[in-house]
Amino acid sequence: KRARGLGVGAALVRAVEEAARERGLTGVDLHAQTHALGFYERLGYEAYGPEFPDAGMPHRAMRRAL
């Protein structure tokens, strides 16, 4: 919780995206906890499909084209 709002999460996501680009991928898919959808949406991800449980918590699949 102490690191929230410092840009650490966004930097990690951007690093994954850059690694994906270097490998020639054209998009990134992830499974986000529903309470974090806004975070990923601000980074350009779009939710798709129904909500589903993972590790006892509700999730949504998300995707961003690179």
Side-chain angles (χ1 to χ4, degrees):
K1 288 184 178 182
R2 294 183 325 197
R4 287 184 184 152
L6 300 178
V8 175
L12 289 170
V13 172
R14 295 301 186 215
V16 168
E17 292 170 351
E18 183 57 30
R21 279 188 198 90
E22 290 172 1
R23 287 163 177 76
L25 300 177
T26 59
V28 175
D29 285 71
L30 58 85
H31 292 166
Q33 293 177 12
T34 55
H35 71 82
L37 290 174
F39 168 76
Y40 291 106
E41 288 168 344
R42 286 188 294 279
L43 295 175
Y45 287 78
E46 295 182 15
Y48 65 92
E51 185 176 292
F52 60 92
D54 187 6
M57 295 174 279
H59 284 68
R60 292 278 311 274
M62 301 190 84
R63 175 179 297 135
R64 179 174 190 261
L66 298 177

